Amino acid sequence: MELQINAIENGTVIDHIDSEKTLEIMNLLELNKEQGTIMVAFNLESKKQGKKGIIKIDGRILKDEEIEKISILAPMASINIIKNYKVVEKKMVEIPDIINDVIKCHNQKCVTNFEKVPTKFYKEGKKYRCAYCETSIKKNNIILK
Ligand SMILES: [Zn+2]
């Protein structure tokens, strides 16, 4: 079944979100404070992913640093910029090899969890490794700061 979600005039469409990350991305973008129309769907059937989510934000073009955080949370997400109901740009953000102050370390004893130290993670294949305590975090288990 194809679910129709209304098109937006100008703004951003985030598609192919890992379904369970949809609400996290809404929080990340603080969509509760947004004035324009927002359409959200998740648990949509996807041949590629099983279940996926979509977020459409009318009247807002995402910044590159916001797109970078989305890519870290949901690596398969695609971001389309819409103008006059047409996709004018597909944003692909390459996740950097060193990620500063975005990911939270899972190790409770890590210095970044009890002192005001920015976190630093190295990308290593499908994992990220904390520069301070060497804890490795799988891509699907990431928590943003
Ligand atoms: Zn750590």
Side-chain angles (χ1 to χ4, degrees):
M1 192 187 78
E2 186 72 13
L3 178 71
Q4 287 295 320
I5 304 177
N6 290 342
I8 57 173
E9 189 177 351
N10 298 296
T12 307
V13 174
I14 313 162
D15 196 359
H16 301 288
I17 302 166
D18 305 277
S19 200
E20 70 273 21
K21 300 287 183 187
T22 311
L23 292 175
E24 237 175 295
I25 289 174
M26 286 185 69
N27 291 335
L28 167 75
L29 298 174
E30 299 190 308
L31 294 184
N32 56 324
K33 293 178 186 164
E34 205 59 50
Q35 301 297 310
T37 306
I38 296 161
M39 283 163 277
V40 179
F42 50 95
N43 286 339
L44 300 174
E45 298 291 335
S46 161
K47 285 198 182 103
K48 261 201 312 196
Q49 281 169 278
K51 303 266 188 198
K52 69 165 187 175
I54 296 180
I55 301 173
K56 298 190 179 192
I57 311 160
D58 204 2
R60 176 164 163 193
I61 309 292
L62 296 185
K63 299 188 197 99
D64 282 349
E65 61 260 34
E66 293 172 319
I67 294 171
E68 184 186 307
K69 287 180 184 174
I70 293 169
S71 313
I72 292 167
L73 264 187
M76 289 178 82
S78 62
I79 288 135
N80 298 310
I81 308 301
I82 311 291
K83 290 205 172 122
N84 284 319
Y85 299 103
K86 286 196 185 112
V87 177
V88 293
E89 198 182 348
K90 284 183 182 286
K91 291 246 184 190
M92 294 301 289
V93 170
E94 195 58 30
I95 300 175
D97 290 334
I98 298 173
I99 299 157
N100 290 304
D101 219 18
V102 173
I103 300 172
K104 188 177 157 49
C105 187
H106 287 207
N107 175 8
Q108 294 301 319
K109 290 178 181 161
C110 180
V111 64
T112 60
N113 281 323
F114 57 86
E115 275 180 37
K116 280 206 163 182
V117 183
T119 66
K120 183 176 177 182
F121 279 82
Y122 301 110
K123 188 170 79 173
E124 291 178 331
K126 292 187 170 177
K127 288 179 178 172
Y128 295 98
R129 183 168 53 84
C130 178
Y132 293 92
C133 72
E134 306 281 312
T135 296
S136 270
I137 302 175
K138 283 186 190 159
K139 273 186 179 174
N140 343 349
N141 293 333
I142 280 171
I143 300 169
L144 297 186
K145 275 192 81 177

